[in-house]
PDB file of all heavy atoms in Angstrom:
ATOM      1  N   SER A  46      69.244  -0.898  19.728  1.00  0.00           N
ATOM      2  CA  SER A  46      68.373  -0.780  21.017  1.00  0.00           C
ATOM      3  C   SER A  46      68.435  -2.233  21.644  1.00  0.00           C
ATOM      4  O   SER A  46      68.449  -2.315  22.880  1.00  0.00           O
ATOM      5  CB  SER A  46      66.937  -0.483  20.519  1.00  0.00           C
ATOM      6  OG  SER A  46      66.306  -1.492  19.728  1.00  0.00           O
ATOM      7  N   SER A  47      68.507  -3.314  20.930  1.00  0.00           N
ATOM      8  CA  SER A  47      68.648  -4.678  21.488  1.00  0.00           C
ATOM      9  C   SER A  47      70.009  -4.729  22.166  1.00  0.00           C
ATOM     10  O   SER A  47      70.114  -5.351  23.231  1.00  0.00           O
ATOM     11  CB  SER A  47      68.410  -5.743  20.440  1.00  0.00           C
ATOM     12  OG  SER A  47      67.210  -5.706  19.820  1.00  0.00           O
ATOM     13  N   LEU A  48      71.053  -4.309  21.502  1.00  0.00           N
ATOM     14  CA  LEU A  48      72.444  -4.351  22.077  1.00  0.00           C
ATOM     15  C   LEU A  48      72.517  -3.646  23.419  1.00  0.00           C
ATOM     16  O   LEU A  48      73.076  -4.112  24.428  1.00  0.00           O
ATOM     17  CB  LEU A  48      73.407  -3.781  21.070  1.00  0.00           C
ATOM     18  CG  LEU A  48      74.827  -3.912  21.487  1.00  0.00           C
ATOM     19  CD1 LEU A  48      75.205  -5.356  21.500  1.00  0.00           C
ATOM     20  CD2 LEU A  48      75.708  -3.110  20.363  1.00  0.00           C
ATOM     21  N   ARG A  49      71.799  -2.369  23.497  1.00  0.00           N
ATOM     22  CA  ARG A  49      71.824  -1.681  24.819  1.00  0.00           C
ATOM     23  C   ARG A  49      71.059  -2.431  25.813  1.00  0.00           C
ATOM     24  O   ARG A  49      71.429  -2.557  26.999  1.00  0.00           O
ATOM     25  CB  ARG A  49      71.221  -0.279  24.569  1.00  0.00           C
ATOM     26  CG  ARG A  49      72.033   0.679  23.873  1.00  0.00           C
ATOM     27  CD  ARG A  49      71.418   2.036  23.835  1.00  0.00           C
ATOM     28  NE  ARG A  49      72.340   2.957  23.109  1.00  0.00           N
ATOM     29  CZ  ARG A  49      72.051   4.208  22.743  1.00  0.00           C
ATOM     30  NH1 ARG A  49      70.745   4.665  23.202  1.00  0.00           N
ATOM     31  NH2 ARG A  49      72.864   5.037  22.086  1.00  0.00           N
ATOM     32  N   ALA A  50      69.976  -3.061  25.480  1.00  0.00           N
ATOM     33  CA  ALA A  50      69.084  -3.747  26.421  1.00  0.00           C
ATOM     34  C   ALA A  50      69.861  -5.063  26.924  1.00  0.00           C
ATOM     35  O   ALA A  50      69.859  -5.260  28.117  1.00  0.00           O
ATOM     36  CB  ALA A  50      67.789  -4.293  25.726  1.00  0.00           C
ATOM     37  N   VAL A  51      70.549  -5.730  26.084  1.00  0.00           N
ATOM     38  CA  VAL A  51      71.320  -6.895  26.454  1.00  0.00           C
ATOM     39  C   VAL A  51      72.474  -6.503  27.325  1.00  0.00           C
ATOM     40  O   VAL A  51      72.774  -7.217  28.392  1.00  0.00           O
ATOM     41  CB  VAL A  51      71.784  -7.758  25.258  1.00  0.00           C
ATOM     42  CG1 VAL A  51      72.862  -8.771  25.583  1.00  0.00           C
ATOM     43  CG2 VAL A  51      70.604  -8.338  24.524  1.00  0.00           C
ATOM     44  N   ALA A  52      73.118  -5.375  27.099  1.00  0.00           N
ATOM     45  CA  ALA A  52      74.290  -4.965  27.819  1.00  0.00           C
ATOM     46  C   ALA A  52      73.834  -4.583  29.301  1.00  0.00           C
ATOM     47  O   ALA A  52      74.405  -4.904  30.221  1.00  0.00           O
ATOM     48  CB  ALA A  52      74.984  -3.855  27.160  1.00  0.00           C
ATOM     49  N   PHE A  53      72.580  -3.973  29.387  1.00  0.00           N
ATOM     50  CA  PHE A  53      72.137  -3.542  30.707  1.00  0.00           C
ATOM     51  C   PHE A  53      71.743  -4.816  31.459  1.00  0.00           C
ATOM     52  O   PHE A  53      71.984  -4.896  32.673  1.00  0.00           O
ATOM     53  CB  PHE A  53      70.868  -2.664  30.501  1.00  0.00           C
ATOM     54  CG  PHE A  53      70.261  -2.237  31.665  1.00  0.00           C
ATOM     55  CD1 PHE A  53      70.822  -1.262  32.532  1.00  0.00           C
ATOM     56  CD2 PHE A  53      68.968  -2.784  32.191  1.00  0.00           C
ATOM     57  CE1 PHE A  53      70.210  -0.904  33.805  1.00  0.00           C
ATOM     58  CE2 PHE A  53      68.399  -2.408  33.305  1.00  0.00           C
ATOM     59  CZ  PHE A  53      68.996  -1.463  34.131  1.00  0.00           C
ATOM     60  N   ILE A  54      71.048  -5.762  30.950  1.00  0.00           N
ATOM     61  CA  ILE A  54      70.695  -6.891  31.570  1.00  0.00           C
ATOM     62  C   ILE A  54      71.926  -7.743  32.031  1.00  0.00           C
ATOM     63  O   ILE A  54      71.903  -8.346  33.072  1.00  0.00           O
ATOM     64  CB  ILE A  54      69.791  -7.831  30.624  1.00  0.00           C
ATOM     65  CG1 ILE A  54      68.458  -7.247  30.459  1.00  0.00           C
ATOM     66  CG2 ILE A  54      69.502  -9.291  31.112  1.00  0.00           C
ATOM     67  CD1 ILE A  54      67.526  -7.782  29.429  1.00  0.00           C
ATOM     68  N   THR A  55      72.958  -7.797  31.123  1.00  0.00           N
ATOM     69  CA  THR A  55      74.165  -8.402  31.478  1.00  0.00           C
ATOM     70  C   THR A  55      74.831  -7.791  32.751  1.00  0.00           C
ATOM     71  O   THR A  55      75.315  -8.485  33.651  1.00  0.00           O
ATOM     72  CB  THR A  55      75.108  -8.496  30.355  1.00  0.00           C
ATOM     73  OG1 THR A  55      74.529  -9.254  29.289  1.00  0.00           O
ATOM     74  CG2 THR A  55      76.450  -9.301  30.718  1.00  0.00           C
TER      75      THR A  55
END
Side-chain angles (χ1 to χ4, degrees):
S46 65
S47 299
L48 187 64
R49 285 184 182 176
V51 168
F53 179 72
I54 291 170
T55 303

